[in-house]
Amino acid sequence: MRMTSQIGRWSSALALTLALTLAPGAQAKSKDKDAEASREVPYASTYKAYPGRPTALVGATVYDGRGGRIDNGTVLFAEGKVVAVGASDLAIPEGYDRIDGTGKFVTPGVIDAHSHLGDYASPGVDANSDGNEATAPTTPDVWAEHSVWPQDPGFSRALANGGVTSLLILPGSANLMGGRSVMLKNVPAITVQQMKFPGAPYSLKMACGENPKRVYGSRGMKPSTRMGNFAVNRQTWIDAKAYMEGDHEKRDLAKETLEGVLKGEILVQNHCYRAEEMALVLDMAKEAGYKVTTFHHAVESYKIADMLREADVCSAVWADWYGFKMEAYDGIPENAALIAKEGACVVIHSDDQNGIQRLNQAAAKAQGAGRRMGIDIPDAQVISWFTYNAAKAAGISDQTGSLEEGKMADVVLWNGDPLSVYTRPEKVWIDGAMLFDATNPRMRPVSDFELGQPGEGDVK
């Protein structure tokens, strides 16, 4: 009798377990877990830092990237990390290589938060044009990394001429949703996975304004107007939310990306020029339930700088590009200074294979334009426009972008004031490994593509 009762209890418990397991909610959760496991870290980073040596940079003017300046400072790094930053009396441990920086300057590695290197590689021919999947107004399913050509000579030019240690590669702006970005460490590599910044979040590239409506309107399809742009975006977000709330039985690569955005796992980098359009995008983001991380190009950010500050949205801007199309007509050289004056986040970006080699000079131009209208922004703050703020815009400021203990030893030693047109990088370290030395011709990087080209070779 007791045995029968016990079996009955076991049967009841089993039945309850089965009922719970087979309930629609439990089934969906189980499928969600299976789906998540099946797509865990695709195309994962295989980046490994090049070997470096414990190094002490002594006697230089140090800009830490967070607005700090140390005259006659010392920067210590070892095992790929910043060990300490301080004044000249900072103790240097035994075994460190000592480099005299007297009369020179040290900054964090330069970061470009808007680049197309590798996707629009040099030489700029149709065969290397892989940045826009201009076949549908929304293509969140594509990933920029699947177009990156690591042998693009632009990478080594950015390193040697611009001190660029990390860069965010974005799809182009033909589409309302252009696809996922990839963050790269600017190191010589054979595969893109060997360049992928470990732990960096993905971003979704979006675009508003003239580009999408021009590209698709010219084909007689929606969108052909700005209101069409927003209608397509809004419906796409509605469909993405429905997918997110579903059972994920059938994978959808586009909606997987959008779901990541809605969950806050994927950032949003939004190409947008005009002030009223950026304000509308912020409202759309509230409606859909996501956050804009950065507006790119943003030539009219100065008109809504207070709104951007309150929303904690960065503006990645040029120093003085304007007027090359109608929506850029109200761009002004004082844009960056006016944004900074309101306490909003300023990033100097390139969007150009040549401009990426001179982000420091672009920042100085923007500073000068502000100064001429009475806005005097300290040099140490301007340095953050292409170091820490750029890292913040890309979602990697916890790892790089500033000279702080424990962060990646991405460091540039400049042969003069980095905000001078006469200054160039003298030495560049990435994760503590010296990858460029202007005083050593054998440490000038050359891509495979350049080998055998006239005037090029192993040493240049």
Side-chain angles (χ1 to χ4, degrees):
M1 183 72 178
R2 283 183 300 216
M3 179 64 73
T4 304
S5 177
Q6 185 66 42
I7 292 173
R9 284 197 292 271
W10 288 343
S11 299
S12 299
L14 179 60
L16 179 60
T17 301
L18 286 171
L20 290 172
T21 302
L22 296 176
Q27 283 182 307
K29 287 179 182 177
S30 176
K31 288 178 180 177
D32 283 349
K33 287 181 180 179
D34 291 343
E36 289 294 332
S38 70
R39 61 178 183 264
E40 185 177 356
V41 197
Y43 311 102
S45 170
T46 59
Y47 172 80
K48 292 183 180 178
Y50 280 80
R53 291 181 55 80
T55 302
L57 303 179
V58 181
T61 300
V62 178
Y63 290 119
D64 66 9
R66 300 294 299 271
R69 170 177 174 151
I70 304 172
D71 294 316
N72 193 20
T74 300
V75 178
L76 305 179
F77 52 90
E79 298 182 355
K81 303 292 184 183
V82 175
V83 174
V85 180
S88 58
D89 58 355
L90 185 67
I92 300 174
E94 186 177 348
Y96 274 59
D97 293 343
R98 183 186 179 104
I99 296 177
D100 185 7
T102 303
K104 302 172 185 178
F105 288 71
V106 176
T107 70
V110 175
I111 299 170
D112 191 355
H114 189 122
S115 176
H116 300 293
L117 292 186
D119 279 8
Y120 285 112
S122 299
V125 296
D126 287 346
N128 287 340
S129 179
D130 290 308
N132 272 314
E133 182 57 41
T135 53
T138 64
T139 57
D141 52 326
V142 303
W143 295 21
E145 65 199 76
H146 297 149
S147 283
V148 170
W149 182 40
Q151 301 308 317
D152 182 356
F155 289 120
S156 58
R157 298 293 194 274
L159 177 73
N161 298 329
V164 174
T165 56
S166 300
L167 56 167
L168 182 64
I169 308 300
L170 297 164
S173 53
N175 297 340
L176 295 167
M177 298 176 179
R180 293 198 196 194
S181 69
V182 63
M183 194 76 204
L184 301 180
K185 301 285 280 191
N186 194 14
V187 298
I190 298 171
T191 70
V192 67
Q193 291 98 322
Q194 292 171 334
M195 300 177 75
K196 282 183 73 170
F197 194 112
Y202 283 108
S203 290
L204 171 66
K205 168 69 178 297
M206 296 184 67
C208 57
E210 290 184 25
N211 287 14
K213 78 186 190 80
R214 181 187 70 247
V215 171
Y216 295 98
S218 67
R219 302 176 187 177
M221 61 184 292
K222 191 176 183 178
S224 65
T225 62
R226 281 181 163 82
M227 59 185 174
N229 285 349
F230 275 86
V232 173
N233 271 330
R234 293 177 70 202
Q235 187 61 55
T236 305
W237 287 119
I238 290 169
D239 295 345
K241 283 203 270 190
Y243 175 83
M244 183 171 68
E245 294 164 2
D247 60 14
H248 294 77
E249 186 172 355
K250 182 179 179 181
R251 286 189 67 183
D252 185 313
L253 292 177
K255 291 184 177 66
E256 280 182 11
T257 292
L258 300 180
E259 180 178 359
V261 173
L262 294 171
K263 288 181 174 179
E265 299 165 356
I266 295 176
L267 311 182
V268 171
Q269 312 292 340
N270 209 132
H271 160 121
C272 214
Y273 282 71
R274 293 189 343 195
E276 91 291 341
E277 211 158 5
M278 287 186 270
L280 284 168
V281 168
L282 291 178
D283 281 345
M284 178 171 62
K286 288 179 184 176
E287 177 189 33
Y290 68 91
K291 182 185 186 305
V292 177
T293 303
T294 308
F295 282 120
H296 290 251
H297 310 334
V299 299
E300 291 187 19
S301 278
Y302 66 94
K303 297 181 180 181
I304 55 167
D306 56 341
M307 184 182 298
L308 298 175
R309 180 194 65 233
E310 294 305 313
D312 189 28
V313 177
C314 290
S315 295
V317 302
W318 298 292
D320 49 10
W321 287 25
Y322 83 103
F324 50 91
K325 55 181 176 177
M326 194 65 208
E327 65 186 0
Y329 192 77
D330 271 357
I332 58 174
E334 298 85 2
N335 188 24
L338 287 166
I339 300 166
K341 182 175 180 290
E342 288 297 320
C345 170
V346 177
V347 177
I348 296 294
H349 71 347
S350 79
D351 191 32
D352 180 74
Q353 70 271 26
N354 294 312
I356 194 173
Q357 301 175 41
R358 287 171 282 279
L359 290 172
N360 57 312
Q361 294 178 19
K365 285 196 292 182
Q367 178 192 37
R371 188 172 289 155
R372 286 190 292 276
M373 73 174 302
I375 303 173
D376 195 2
I377 300 170
D379 291 355
Q381 182 178 342
V382 173
I383 297 297
S384 72
W385 294 355
F386 54 88
T387 57
Y388 181 80
N389 286 5
K392 176 183 176 182
I396 55 171
S397 59
D398 60 333
Q399 297 183 73
T400 189
S402 57
L403 299 176
E404 298 180 84
E405 182 181 347
K407 283 195 172 183
M408 294 173 170
D410 298 338
V411 183
V412 182
L413 176 66
W414 304 83
N415 63 10
D417 183 347
L419 299 179
S420 166
V421 71
Y422 299 107
T423 295
R424 292 176 58 84
E426 181 176 300
K427 294 178 174 62
V428 182
W429 292 264
I430 298 180
D431 284 310
M434 187 189 296
L435 293 185
F436 173 70
D437 183 355
T439 67
N440 182 355
R442 294 189 175 277
M443 289 198 69
R444 293 188 67 87
V446 179
S447 81
D448 284 357
F449 175 78
E450 296 173 282
L451 295 176
Q453 301 283 353
E456 302 294 347
D458 292 324
V459 178
K460 61 178 181 176

